[in-house]
Amino acid sequence: MKGVIFNVLEEMVEENCGMAVWNDILNQELPEGGIYTAGESYPDEQLFNLVNAVCARTKLPMEKVVGNFGEFLFTQLAARHPVFLESPADLKSFLKSIDSVIHVEVRKLYDNPNLPSFKYSEPDPDLLIMQYRSPRKLCILAEGLIRGAAAHYGQSVEISHPICIHRGADWCDLHIRFLP
Amino acid sequence: MSDNVNPYKQAHTREKAARLKAEQLLEDKSRKLFQQKIKLEESYIKLRQQESAMLQNEQLATLGTLSAGIAHEINNPLAFVLSNMESLNNYTKSFQKLLLLTQELIQTEGIKETEKSLLTDLIEQEDLAFINEDVDELLKDTSDGLHRVRKIINNLRSFSPTQNTDKVETNLLKGLKSTLKLLDSELKGSVDLQLSLLPLPNTLCNPNELNQVFLNLILNAKQATEDTKEATIKISSHYQNDTIFIRIQDNGCGMTDEVKKQIFIPFFTTKPMDKGTGMGMAIAYGIIANHQGKIIIESIEGSGATFEIQLPVIQTKL
């Protein structure tokens, strides 16, 4: 997992719970580590352990923490890479550009970024189905990111998740309904 | 400074902002580096292609000179051998007449028995009756063989650099269309011929030679699609920056890089021995080179091939 994700998690914990909480979590989980640089990759387990520790501290369910983290992650990434939000005029165009534009650019910068893959279908103009596949199974984070993007574009959405890796499927179907 | 502002937190925020800026800088540089790497790779591929094309041109130029020398050296003795063969044919006819007369005379009463016997013995000993039967076939086969040699030599001469003779100002589309008419029965029913011919300006060229190029390339495309389902040949023409472009594209078997490298070399063929002489493409190359043009090949094995003829427009000086 790229260091930038850890950096944003740190940011979120500091903003919501204070710097001391983040320090405590690091001391507890990674007494020797906790130094993350955006471009470097770190073991996925470290992030999962840190998120678990945040859940324990905040007494919030994992789904809630990861979802909120997704929303927060979007605002942070958008601030760091505003260029990707310049072209897509609306939320749907932006979501459709993730696989063909954003992930292509990420691959230019990093070797083996282990990005999720997306396939898109639009059964009707107000519904976009994003088929999510990733061995990391971070579909809840993806949902949070989509909510973050919707807030950025000022678009009301209803997200449902009828097919999910966590319920035995090989992929997740994220149904994004664009509300008027 | 206010007392409730933690100086460490302030420094931490500042450091974080500095780190973000440094990371952004690194990312921008990495992106730039990536773009430069892509450009460098493209230039390298182009350079390799140009180097290989240059090498091929040099090779073919050497082969052209060599072919011209060989053709010249063989052509001279061939000319008198062919001429002698014609005389020999006539001489043989005289001998055959003599033999026939002798055989008739032997049957008559007007000749002495001893002379009859001498002539009969000579005909039998020398097996003249068989020679008489065989000689026509021998001479015909020899003549056919010599004419084949002459055809090969002429082909070799077409591959070699020549003088600007027999050039007239003409429109290549006329030649292309008449070549297609000539090939109509060959192509009909076996390939889907798609034409997209944009008007071309007149140019100074040898129309007969260029028609031969069109013929060779179209036949080649047709042969390449023999095992293809829904065989298609697309022929297009256009004109840009004083250059005429004629493309012949097929969806046939295509060719390997190795074949691409050797395709213009005289006698190189991928066809069975009895199906091709290996001179078609060499001749096409020679003719186009003599018109200061070039033939560009694009092909991936199994996915068809495109031959693009590029010819500079040359107009008659008034």
Side-chain angles (χ1 to χ4, degrees):
Chain A
M1 189 72 78
K2 288 287 157 216
V4 66
I5 309 296
F6 290 83
N7 294 153
V8 174
L9 182 67
E10 175 186 341
E11 201 77 36
M12 186 177 85
V13 173
E14 278 181 10
E15 210 174 286
N16 291 294
C17 312
M19 197 187 281
V21 172
W22 181 248
N23 284 340
D24 282 350
I25 290 172
L26 286 185
N27 289 336
Q28 181 195 320
E29 295 296 324
L30 303 154
E32 302 294 321
I35 301 162
Y36 300 106
T37 309
E40 197 80 55
S41 289
Y42 302 91
D44 289 0
E45 295 73 45
Q46 276 190 24
L47 184 80
F48 299 145
N49 291 343
L50 290 171
V51 171
N52 274 326
V54 173
C55 293
R57 283 274 174 163
T58 55
K59 307 219 177 343
L60 288 169
M62 171 71 88
E63 211 164 280
K64 176 82 179 151
V65 171
V66 175
N68 287 351
F69 178 49
E71 283 182 59
F72 189 80
L73 182 60
F74 178 85
T75 55
Q76 292 290 310
L77 292 177
R80 288 171 199 225
H81 307 282
V83 66
F84 295 121
L85 295 157
E86 279 169 10
S87 279
D90 52 34
L91 177 65
K92 197 198 273 183
S93 320
F94 170 76
L95 294 176
K96 283 161 81 177
S97 75
I98 292 173
D99 218 45
S100 58
V101 179
I102 299 177
H103 286 179
V104 171
E105 288 300 318
V106 174
R107 282 191 193 94
K108 286 180 187 174
L109 290 174
Y110 308 113
D111 290 332
N112 308 317
N114 296 323
L115 297 166
S117 71
F118 286 105
K119 277 186 187 162
Y120 302 88
S121 59
E122 288 176 76
D124 70 64
D126 294 329
L127 179 65
L128 177 71
I129 300 177
M130 292 174 75
Q131 192 187 85
Y132 166 95
R133 281 176 193 267
S134 169
R136 285 184 173 134
K137 302 182 179 180
L138 288 171
C139 50
I140 304 298
L141 184 74
E143 261 192 55
L145 281 162
I146 294 167
R147 275 199 302 275
H152 173 85
Y153 281 99
Q155 168 74 58
S156 302
V157 290
E158 198 176 81
I159 303 173
S160 58
H161 199 143
I163 297 172
C164 183
I165 307 176
H166 296 291
R167 292 195 297 271
D170 291 334
W171 70 87
C172 291
D173 270 354
L174 301 172
H175 288 214
I176 300 117
R177 183 159 291 280
F178 300 91
L179 305 173
Chain B
M1 188 190 289
S2 162
D3 286 343
N4 54 13
V5 175
N6 182 339
Y8 286 102
K9 193 172 180 187
Q10 216 174 16
H12 171 70
T13 310
R14 209 166 42 233
E15 280 304 313
K16 216 163 24 177
R19 189 186 69 187
L20 274 179
K21 204 167 178 183
E23 282 171 354
Q24 189 61 52
L25 205 66
L26 185 71
E27 206 175 292
D28 291 347
K29 294 277 177 201
S30 301
R31 191 165 280 122
K32 220 175 243 178
L33 203 65
F34 177 82
Q35 277 153 357
Q36 282 170 344
K37 179 181 155 251
I38 296 285
K39 265 189 197 163
L40 208 64
E41 276 172 357
E42 283 169 359
S43 306
Y44 177 71
I45 291 168
K46 217 170 165 181
L47 203 69
R48 288 293 301 267
Q49 282 169 343
Q50 280 170 348
E51 189 185 46
S52 140
M54 212 164 76
L55 203 71
Q56 196 189 30
N57 283 346
E58 277 175 25
Q59 248 180 358
L60 291 169
T62 312
L63 274 170
T65 313
L66 193 72
S67 306
I70 293 172
H72 179 73
E73 289 305 319
I74 294 178
N75 214 30
N76 286 344
L78 187 66
F80 67 71
V81 172
L82 276 166
S83 159
N84 290 356
M85 270 302 295
E86 217 176 309
S87 306
L88 206 58
N89 257 323
N90 293 333
Y91 297 167
T92 309
K93 280 187 187 100
S94 307
F95 278 103
Q96 283 174 321
K97 276 183 197 164
L98 179 68
L99 181 66
L100 193 70
L101 185 67
T102 312
Q103 282 170 327
E104 280 170 7
L105 281 174
I106 292 169
Q107 306 299 323
T108 60
E109 298 298 320
I111 201 161
K112 285 180 189 167
E113 278 308 314
T114 48
E115 285 160 349
K116 260 189 196 176
S117 165
L118 268 173
L119 284 170
T120 310
D121 287 349
L122 182 69
I123 288 169
E124 274 175 18
Q125 274 164 22
E126 296 299 328
D127 210 1
L128 290 178
F130 171 75
I131 290 174
N132 184 38
E133 272 176 29
D134 200 30
V135 73
D136 283 337
E137 206 181 322
L138 286 181
L139 287 170
K140 190 186 171 298
D141 287 353
T142 311
S143 177
D144 287 352
L146 287 170
H147 280 99
R148 220 168 117 195
V149 172
R150 188 164 69 176
K151 202 173 158 192
I152 293 170
I153 294 302
N154 283 340
N155 283 344
L156 267 180
R157 286 167 79 185
S158 301
F159 171 71
S160 319
T162 56
Q163 300 299 313
N164 283 347
T165 52
D166 306 324
K167 287 194 174 172
V168 290
E169 200 172 296
T170 187
N171 195 300
L172 292 183
L173 282 185
K174 215 168 102 184
L176 186 60
K177 284 176 186 165
S178 70
T179 307
L180 284 169
K181 211 171 266 176
L182 202 72
L183 289 170
D184 192 40
S185 59
E186 180 83 19
L187 302 175
K188 221 176 195 172
S190 53
V191 290
D192 175 20
L193 185 66
Q194 296 177 11
L195 301 179
S196 166
L197 304 176
L198 297 179
L200 298 176
N202 285 358
T203 185
L204 196 66
C205 64
N206 183 324
N208 291 336
E209 284 188 348
L210 289 177
N211 289 352
Q212 194 186 348
V213 174
F214 300 145
L215 186 90
N216 289 357
L217 293 182
I218 297 167
L219 275 180
N220 218 46
K222 196 248 163 186
Q223 283 162 356
T225 57
E226 262 163 18
D227 295 326
T228 308
K229 277 183 191 167
E230 294 173 19
T232 308
I233 297 178
K234 291 179 186 170
I235 301 176
S236 63
S237 67
H238 72 279
Y239 163 68
Q240 195 182 353
N241 300 334
D242 288 331
T243 305
I244 287 169
F245 296 84
I246 294 174
R247 285 164 72 92
I248 294 162
Q249 186 182 1
D250 67 70
N251 63 346
C253 56
M255 63 191 102
T256 61
D257 285 345
E258 211 43 51
V259 172
K260 252 190 275 179
K261 275 184 203 160
Q262 299 185 74
I263 195 160
F264 295 128
I265 292 175
F267 304 112
F268 173 80
T269 180
T270 54
K271 294 169 198 161
M273 283 290 276
D274 56 334
K275 285 277 171 68
T277 59
M279 281 305 290
M281 298 308 292
I283 290 170
Y285 174 87
I287 292 170
I288 297 298
N290 281 332
H291 283 79
Q292 284 88 50
K294 49 187 171 181
I295 304 181
I296 311 280
I297 309 173
E298 281 169 26
S299 177
I300 295 168
E301 195 181 8
S303 302
T306 303
F307 288 82
E308 184 177 85
I309 301 168
Q310 295 180 6
L311 284 170
V313 175
I314 301 165
Q315 270 153 356
T316 325
K317 281 179 193 146
L318 293 173

